[in-house]
Amino acid sequence: MPTHIEPVRRTQFGMGISVFTPAPKPLNEFSRSRAAAEWARDIIADLPRLKRISHEAKAIFDVRWAGISAVVDDWQHVIASSGGMLGLYRRSTALSSYVVAYPYQPFCIANALQDERFHGNPFVEDGLIGFYAGVAILDAAGLAVGVLCVTHPEPLQIIPPDALELLTSLARSVTPHVPPRSPVPE
């Protein structure tokens, strides 16, 4: 897996360079990314419901943040959250890119600081993400068009019982609202 070098960025100690391994892109990336772009464009009309789902996910895990995003091309678009941190983020640094790469099971990192995949990741290194859990939002064709995730600055020692199942259920509650689309050739 290739190593990714982030451009020079400001740290608490001055300027620095981040070196880490980003998630692989799925083989169906072209179709998946196009479907995610269409979904993000269409689902934005349902923003109040998406915000409620984000707040429910945050409460289940008792964490600082939860959100719903679309990963399109090289960007993660956070379109709804439990408060703050909306906008565009580089896919290469987004832990949600792992959910897109492996969409058929929950992705949970109890302690991102101890996971070698995330050594050098700016969100982890800067203390923004110590814990991460995410579940893919799938369209009717099974493509990962979105991600529902929760984060906390500190690692979680104990994950609430049934929390991942509840997160999966919340992500699936978005799926029926994913508009049908025609297949796109690879």
Side-chain angles (χ1 to χ4, degrees):
M1 192 174 289
T3 298
H4 182 78
I5 300 176
E6 275 295 300
V8 175
R9 63 185 178 84
R10 222 171 259 296
T11 69
Q12 66 187 31
F13 305 107
M15 301 301 276
I17 296 176
S18 296
V19 180
F20 57 93
T21 304
K25 290 185 178 179
L27 295 176
N28 63 356
E29 178 57 22
F30 180 80
S31 294
R32 191 215 56 79
S33 189
R34 296 291 67 78
E38 290 177 29
W39 173 75
R41 183 193 65 235
D42 295 341
I43 200 75
I44 202 74
D46 209 6
L47 195 55
R49 188 175 66 85
L50 298 179
K51 286 181 180 179
R52 281 193 304 277
I53 290 170
S54 295
H55 283 281
E56 286 180 51
K58 178 182 173 184
I60 289 167
F61 283 87
D62 191 25
V63 293
R64 188 167 297 165
W65 186 85
I68 295 175
S69 63
V71 178
V72 178
D73 297 326
D74 291 330
W75 297 97
Q76 175 183 357
H77 304 256
V78 179
I79 56 178
S81 80
S82 60
M85 295 173 49
L86 294 174
L88 288 174
Y89 298 89
R90 284 189 297 277
R91 177 184 187 157
S92 62
T93 60
L95 275 64
S96 292
S97 63
Y98 280 86
V99 177
V100 169
Y102 309 105
Y104 303 111
Q105 60 190 18
F107 184 76
C108 184
I109 303 298
N111 188 339
L113 297 168
Q114 293 182 349
D115 192 310
E116 66 183 42
R117 291 172 292 185
F118 307 116
H119 288 183
N121 181 294
F123 289 110
V124 175
E125 295 292 317
D126 292 348
L128 297 172
I129 297 177
F131 165 79
Y132 176 93
V135 176
I137 298 167
L138 304 172
D139 71 1
L143 297 174
V145 294
V147 175
L148 171 61
C149 66
V150 295
T151 68
H152 197 68
E154 294 86 32
L156 289 190
Q157 301 302 318
I158 298 172
I159 297 171
D162 301 326
L164 291 173
E165 290 84 4
L166 291 168
L167 190 66
T168 300
S169 179
L170 283 173
R172 299 300 177 256
S173 76
V174 177
T175 301
H177 303 278
V178 174
R181 58 176 187 77
S182 55
V184 177
E186 289 294 322

